[in-house]
Amino acid sequence: MIEIQTASGLDATITVPGSKSITQRALIAASLADGRSILRGPLTSEDTEYSSRALRALGVHLETGEDTWYVDGTGGTIGVPSEHLYLGNNGTATRFLTSVAALGVGEVIIDGDERMQQRPIAPLIEALRGWGVDIESIRGTGCPPLRIRAAGLSGGKTILPEGKSSQYLSSLLLVAPLARQPAELEVHGEILSKPYVAMTLEVMAEFGVGVEVAADFSAFRVEPARYRAREYRIEGDASGASYFWAAAAVAGGRVTVANVPVPSLQGDTMFVPLLARMGCSVQQSDFGITVESDGRLEGITVDMSAMPDVVPTLAVVAAFAEGETEISNIAHLRIKESDRLHGVCVELGKIGVHVDEYPDRMVIHGRGGKDLHGAAIDTYNDHRMAMSLAVAGLRVPGIRITGEQCVAKSFPDFWQRFAELS
Ligand SMILES: O=C(O)C1=C[C@@H](OP(=O)(O)O)[C@@H](O)[C@H](O)C1
Ligand SMILES: C=C(OP(=O)(O)O)C(=O)O
């Protein structure tokens, strides 16, 4: 358990670790490429450790130094692991590596921890079957563990049924160029977390693979192609940066995050304009993105389908605003590392914030941070619960974060960097 120290009048410049989402995409593109890639500024964390270990088990040679990783691409020739691929609670890797494993020849079992075994993957299973993959959810739950009897991808046309994760679509796109024939994908239902699909397309393009895309992302076509190895720099993680921008909003003062660029591949940078709508001032320069606040904030109404990972951060900021903040179109928060829609409502309630929970939205009744009090916060083994609720502790004395080591999933030295704020 860690007790957060209050702080005010912040004046800090910090850097954040590499983007978790870009690191995992670049790792896969580099692993499937011909030749050696050099990744600069990748994220070293529990999740990327799971990804790297699994890729090694699939035959990729990876050297992971502190700031530079070397990846010897397989040209798409994927091996069969001698053991199960265990991916913890890494949703991105579980979804992406399922498709990568299908490129090999032989049986592969994909598994994760107890929570990952409750996180759905059925739409991806269905779509891969349409490309000729023999794959099943071993317990018939539509979740891991999965068995794949891999024999490559036929390509041709498949349908991705409606689902609540964009990771299914990103996963299919990443392997589509390795199919035996041109691969076509028809997508049913609303795509939540859309900027992550755009990120996938950008990383694919940067590694030399183009995709034909319908403007609304309802259809895709990918010709057989090879990824090109390259040297590639990874942006700082915008979701991780959100806690520091939010810190300025809640505690007052200014915080600059120096290594999240503008423009960025990450949709979560759109969190910053939301803070501006709430009353913060925002500057973007070569030195990074700065958020400045006098601590006076107003509630807003916002659809956050496109940026689920920063919903807990915004909800915490909203607790210190005057008036209601309504965050809608966020049903997908219920299938993350924890049920974040419920967890945020419960934990903010513990410090005295009134929050209404609905199936796919929440309403936070802010009263400018008045009458809030300390509490022991449960984090449900969910890094984003821990990091977002910590921000409240900058203003409310006595906030204790339990299970604080869960930040290792995406931001191992979060607590040291957070302590630098005060
Ligand atoms: O593709 C990605 O890198 C991610 C997509 C999002 O998930 P969903 O598409 O399941 O919402 C996001 O929550 C996750 O942290 C990372
Ligand atoms: C949802 C997240 O990750 P994943 O889906 O990769 O487990 C996250 O990092 O907030």
Side-chain angles (χ1 to χ4, degrees):
M1 179 140 84
I2 188 164
E3 177 150 354
I4 309 298
Q5 302 306 310
T6 55
S8 60
L10 307 185
D11 187 7
T13 298
I14 66 131
T15 58
V16 289
S19 156
K20 173 163 82 79
S21 292
I22 301 176
T23 299
Q24 295 189 99
R25 283 163 174 75
L27 260 181
I28 289 174
S31 295
L32 298 177
D34 292 303
R36 168 166 274 212
S37 291
I38 303 174
L39 307 184
R40 305 245 181 236
L43 169 67
T44 299
S45 75
E46 199 175 278
D47 267 8
T48 60
E49 185 52 39
Y50 280 125
S51 293
S52 303
R53 210 179 304 149
L55 285 166
R56 286 193 181 103
L58 291 167
V60 180
H61 177 77
L62 260 173
E63 289 168 36
T64 50
E66 196 164 307
D67 190 55
T68 305
W69 293 1
Y70 298 93
V71 187
D72 290 320
T74 58
T77 307
I78 290 300
V80 174
S82 50
E83 292 178 359
H84 296 185
L85 291 187
Y86 179 80
L87 294 161
N89 193 6
N90 183 338
T92 308
T94 303
R95 276 75 176 246
F96 290 6
L97 295 181
T98 293
S99 299
V100 173
L103 295 171
V105 179
E107 184 170 297
V108 187
I109 305 286
I110 301 220
D111 206 354
D113 71 5
E114 204 182 327
R115 175 61 182 169
M116 199 63 236
Q117 292 178 355
Q118 300 164 353
R119 298 179 67 189
I121 196 164
L124 178 60
I125 293 177
E126 280 306 306
L128 284 171
R129 285 180 177 155
W131 281 344
V133 179
D134 182 347
I135 172 170
E136 62 183 339
S137 158
I138 292 173
R139 298 188 191 133
T141 53
C143 300
L146 310 177
R147 177 183 293 108
I148 307 169
R149 294 187 182 88
L153 305 178
S154 62
K157 183 158 181 177
T158 193
I159 292 175
L160 176 64
E162 178 154 16
K164 288 200 165 38
S165 173
S166 70
Q167 292 170 355
Y168 313 138
L169 177 50
S170 288
S171 170
L172 294 161
L173 288 168
L174 282 165
V175 296
L178 282 310
R180 289 186 282 273
Q181 296 166 52
E184 285 179 47
L185 194 51
E186 184 180 311
V187 182
H188 289 182
E190 183 189 2
I191 303 171
L192 303 167
S193 304
K194 223 175 188 171
Y196 289 98
V197 179
M199 178 195 284
T200 303
L201 296 172
E202 300 237 24
V203 174
M204 289 175 71
E206 285 166 335
F207 281 84
V209 173
V211 177
E212 281 175 49
V213 195
D216 61 357
F217 283 8
S218 63
F220 297 82
R221 180 185 161 87
V222 189
E223 293 288 332
R226 314 285 288 213
Y227 285 104
R228 273 199 307 271
R230 58 167 291 175
E231 184 168 346
Y232 189 72
R233 174 153 289 281
I234 290 161
E235 301 175 0
D237 193 287
S239 328
S242 74
Y243 311 109
F244 296 89
W245 290 318
V250 167
R254 66 204 307 269
V255 175
T256 301
V257 178
N259 62 333
V260 177
V262 182
S264 161
L265 300 187
Q266 301 171 77
D268 277 2
T269 52
M270 295 312 288
F271 176 75
V272 174
L274 297 183
L275 293 181
R277 280 179 59 197
M278 295 179 90
C280 298
S281 75
V282 170
Q283 290 140 39
Q284 296 170 355
S285 72
D286 291 348
F287 301 106
I289 304 178
T290 304
V291 171
E292 189 163 0
S293 168
D294 59 9
R296 277 182 300 180
L297 302 164
E298 281 169 27
I300 57 171
T301 297
V302 56
D303 176 334
M304 287 187 81
S305 149
M307 38 179 153
D309 293 357
V310 290
V311 169
T313 330
L314 195 83
V316 167
V317 175
F320 296 90
E322 286 293 348
E324 283 181 11
T325 292
E326 174 168 354
I327 306 178
S328 64
N329 210 1
I330 53 169
H332 46 335
L333 261 74
R334 296 198 185 275
I335 57 165
K336 304 289 181 192
E337 285 82 329
S338 67
D339 176 346
R340 283 182 190 156
L341 210 165
H342 183 63
V344 165
C345 297
V346 171
E347 300 310 314
L348 282 177
K350 285 185 187 165
I351 67 168
V353 185
H354 175 194
V355 190
D356 296 323
E357 177 184 351
Y358 300 91
D360 65 348
R361 66 193 171 97
M362 63 171 86
V363 178
I364 301 114
H365 300 268
R367 289 194 299 117
K370 281 191 284 294
D371 301 328
L372 303 184
H373 51 79
I377 300 296
D378 285 321
T379 49
Y380 313 87
N381 199 25
D382 184 342
H383 56 148
R384 303 212 185 280
M385 292 296 299
M387 295 187 281
S388 56
L389 269 300
V391 174
L394 293 173
R395 188 131 145 215
V396 180
I399 292 200
R400 281 119 37 223
I401 306 290
T402 62
E404 73 276 11
Q405 64 288 346
C406 63
V407 300
K409 187 177 198 278
S410 66
F411 202 149
D413 66 352
F414 176 78
W415 298 114
Q416 288 91 300
R417 295 200 201 188
F418 197 70
E420 285 167 23
L421 287 177
S422 17

